[in-house]
Amino acid sequence: MDNEQEKYAELWQLISNARHLVVFTGAGVSTLSGIKDFRGKDGLYNQPDTDKMFDIDVFHRDPSLYYGLAKDFIYGLKEKQPSVVHIVLAELEKRGMLKALITQNIDLLHQKAGSKHVIEIHGSPEEHYCIKCSYTTDFETVAETAHTGAVPYCPQCGGTLKPAITFFGESLPARALTEAQSECEAADLLLVLGTSLVVYPAASLPQVTQHSGGKVVIVNNQPTYFDSAAALCCTDLEQSFEYLRAQLLNG
Ligand SMILES: [Zn+2]
């Protein structure tokens, strides 16, 4: 067995022995499904205007900028498929081995894979709301219009519909953040997947687990500030989760 294989075996042992396993996922998990990483080398934010895409002031001035850029990236998500990571995490939850899944991603792929307890700390396009009245509607309904790049409007008052994604200039959803923190506190094992842990307060979640005596495992293709404090670090998400899938199938 080479070094990486030994690490995967150790990862499986840690997961099998955990009493309260919590997982925290970032953009690296979406990338496996062909969704562009916001901040990577070929990231969405490196294209013109995309830094303004999730700016709340820009949205209020001109929502067509968001909807124009989001037509494929968000509203074309129907065509994207869950990766081995999404699938294995859903299976772990189904078997009662995973208690909570915290994500920074806004692509709904965990839900599509079958995960039920998903805590979306950057909000979610699952719900859209009117910026003028209390009207709310779901992703499917808005996507019919937004998939073409057109701005969707409220059928009650004509106001612009906004996704319940947290934009720059908005606060993170307080309830989701509180729940994420209490899950990390309860976790005896936290798996951090596909995030470089640079954005606070998300970056502080591994510390919450560590302070309450839990172990942290990091799987990411780049180093993070927490690596030296982690019980285990792996670099290849796809390979490590193919290994876990094989263990689940054999088990
Ligand atoms: Zn309205």
Side-chain angles (χ1 to χ4, degrees), residues 59 63-64 66-67 75 127-139 141-143 145-146 150-164 167:
F59 186 87
S64 71
Y66 163 80
Y67 280 108
Y75 301 100
E127 185 180 287
H128 281 61
Y129 61 90
C130 171
I131 59 174
K132 283 190 181 153
C133 75
S134 59
Y135 181 82
T136 61
T137 186
D138 63 12
F139 178 83
T141 309
V142 173
T145 304
V151 177
Y153 294 105
C154 174
Q156 284 184 1
C157 78
T160 304
L161 297 179
K162 181 190 173 292
F167 279 38

